């Protein structure tokens, strides 16, 4: 494997493709014997070539450099400024208006957006809060190496997805329940409407995880539903990260982000949150690890 830049051909090793819904785009990393004095180049392997921009370089204990990159398509997108949009539309229509390729297995609702001209990071932050998928909750967005945006909804994947049985060994396990101390699931929403009236509404996402009050001044008549969607997305993004497994995936299995899996056929389903595919000079096949998430376990 080689890194080509400025008419130089640098031998590299330990190439890793990382996709993780905790971030907004894919990352390619490798180790180099020395610092690379360039901000872009081409990763060349036996199976493909990737035009990349270098994001960071970190010296490791053995004096080699760990280099993190993103593809040129992702770099171009995240360094651009979106046109912005205000009004109602579906996500398919929104991304078409903004000029980005978009794909999702989940059908989006016709939703009100107020998105200023901004970087893609801010766009994704906004959509993670306010995007609405039909009967869903826990919206998330991710840009693949080819620059296409993919939309996910944790609740819909968990409730409606068809699970695939995987086999692998668990490397680590994490169960968190402290998040619901700060993120209640039941609300009393008080809305001051355009006619100066005050309306109270009980809003329950999931019963039993605390109650809070939200005060809204909605002079436009559109923000009450937006606020409810933000509360829903925030809750389910944490709810479905309550139980996390890191798994070494058996050979022959190629995970994909957002896939619903049944690990070792035990009947409990997980969402694929992250995938790491690592190549080195010794192994004939790559080693694959995945991060699987689900709602927290409370039963014995």
């Amino acid at each position: 494997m080689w890194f080509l830049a400025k008419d130089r051909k640098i031998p590299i090793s330990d190439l890793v493709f990382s996709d993780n819904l905790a971030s907004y785009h894919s990352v390619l990393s490798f180790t180099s014997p020395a610092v690379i004095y360039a901000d872009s180049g081409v990763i060349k392997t036996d199976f493909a070539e990737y035009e990349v921009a270098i994001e960071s370089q970190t010296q490791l204990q053995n004096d080699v450099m760990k280099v993190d990159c993103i593809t040129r398509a992702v770099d171009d997108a995240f360094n651009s400024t979106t046109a912005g949009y205000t009004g109602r539309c579906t996500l398919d229509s929104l991304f078409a208006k903004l000029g980005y390729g978009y794909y999702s297995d989940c059908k989006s609702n016709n939703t009100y957006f107020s998105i200023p001209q901004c970087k893609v990071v801010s766009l994704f932050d906004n959509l993670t809060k306010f995007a609405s998928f039909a009967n869903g909750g826990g919206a998330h967005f991710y840009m693949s190496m080819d620059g296409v945006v993919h939309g996910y909804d944790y609740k819909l994947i968990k409730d409606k997805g068809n699970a695939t049985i995987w086999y692998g060994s668990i490397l680590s396990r994490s169960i968190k329940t402290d998040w619901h101390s700060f993120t209640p699931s039941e609300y009393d929403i008080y809305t001051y409407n355009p006619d100066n009236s005050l309306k109270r509404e009980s809003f329950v996402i999931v019963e039993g995880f605390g109650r809070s009050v939200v005060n809204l001044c909605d002079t436009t008549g559109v923000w009450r539903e937006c606020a409810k969607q933000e509360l829903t997305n925030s809750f389910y993004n944490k709810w479905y990260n309550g139980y996390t497994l890191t798994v070494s995936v058996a050979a022959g299995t190629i995970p994909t982000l957002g896939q619903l899996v049944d690990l070792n056929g035990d009947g409990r389903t997980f969402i694929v949150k992250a995938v790491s595919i690592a190549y080195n000079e010794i192994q004939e096949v790559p080693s694959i690890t995945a991060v699987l998430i689900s709602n927290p376990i409370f039963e014995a």
Side-chain angles (χ1 to χ4, degrees):
M1 294 183 289
W2 304 88
F3 187 79
L4 313 178
K6 294 184 176 180
D7 299 323
R8 294 190 61 190
K9 191 175 182 180
I10 304 168
I12 62 174
S13 58
D14 301 319
L15 177 63
V16 179
F17 296 84
S18 299
D19 290 297
N20 193 329
L21 291 179
S23 61
Y24 283 149
H25 57 71
S26 57
V27 175
L28 297 82
S29 62
F30 58 84
T31 55
S32 166
V35 175
I36 298 175
Y37 292 99
D39 60 2
S40 61
V42 175
I43 297 173
K44 185 175 182 179
T45 70
D46 293 336
F47 51 86
E49 294 185 5
Y50 304 92
E51 186 178 353
V52 298
I54 294 177
E55 293 284 279
S56 66
Q57 301 186 58
T58 305
Q59 184 174 331
L60 304 179
Q61 290 182 339
N62 53 0
D63 293 331
V64 301
M65 302 298 296
K66 179 180 180 292
V67 184
D68 292 330
C69 307
I70 58 177
T71 62
R72 176 58 62 192
V74 172
D75 184 61
D76 289 344
F78 274 79
N79 280 313
S80 65
T81 300
T82 66
Y85 179 79
T86 299
R88 288 190 174 276
C89 64
T90 64
L91 288 170
D92 299 79
S93 177
L94 175 65
F95 281 109
K97 293 175 187 295
L98 297 179
Y100 297 98
Y102 174 71
Y103 175 81
S104 178
D105 290 326
C106 304
K107 181 180 179 181
S108 64
N109 293 321
N110 190 41
T111 307
Y112 182 81
F113 295 105
S114 181
I115 301 171
Q117 289 187 337
C118 60
K119 292 290 189 179
V120 172
V121 168
S122 298
L123 171 66
F124 282 13
D125 285 343
N126 189 300
L127 295 181
T128 300
K129 292 179 182 179
F130 298 113
S132 175
F133 292 95
N135 299 313
H140 217 88
F141 298 88
Y142 189 81
M143 184 172 286
S144 55
M145 290 195 298
D146 57 2
V148 174
V149 179
H150 295 256
Y152 304 91
D153 186 278
Y154 288 153
K155 185 175 186 295
L156 284 178
I157 294 171
K158 201 69 162 59
D159 292 348
K160 307 294 185 180
N162 295 317
T164 301
I165 296 179
W166 271 14
Y167 294 94
S169 56
I170 297 174
L171 302 178
S172 66
R173 185 192 313 261
S174 173
I175 302 174
K176 296 181 179 180
T177 57
D178 60 339
W179 57 268
H180 63 71
S181 298
F182 312 98
T183 308
S185 63
E186 302 178 37
Y187 294 88
D188 289 322
I189 300 178
Y190 291 89
T191 306
Y192 293 90
N193 296 305
D195 60 358
N196 294 322
S197 63
L198 177 64
K199 179 180 179 181
R200 175 188 177 276
E201 178 183 4
S202 179
F203 180 57
V204 178
I205 303 170
V206 174
E207 292 184 352
F209 292 94
R211 196 172 192 90
S212 184
V213 172
V214 174
N215 294 310
L216 296 175
C217 183
D218 188 7
T219 59
T220 63
V222 299
W223 288 111
R224 183 172 62 89
E225 292 304 318
C226 294
K228 290 166 66 175
Q229 189 61 51
E230 181 178 9
L231 295 173
T232 301
N233 283 336
S234 176
F235 178 84
Y236 280 116
N237 268 308
K238 295 176 182 178
W239 170 259
Y240 285 117
N241 277 276
Y243 184 25
T244 304
L245 300 179
T246 302
V247 177
S248 176
V249 182
T253 300
I254 305 298
T256 58
L257 289 182
Q259 186 178 11
L260 187 68
V261 300
D262 179 346
L263 184 62
N264 298 325
D266 67 1
R268 182 174 178 86
T269 58
F270 294 84
I271 301 167
V272 179
K273 180 181 180 180
V275 179
S276 178
I277 304 175
Y279 296 85
N280 62 36
E281 309 297 336
I282 300 174
Q283 295 172 307
E284 294 184 0
V285 296
S287 60
I288 302 176
T289 58
V291 176
L292 310 180
I293 59 173
S294 184
N295 48 293
I297 296 175
F298 297 105
E299 67 271 15

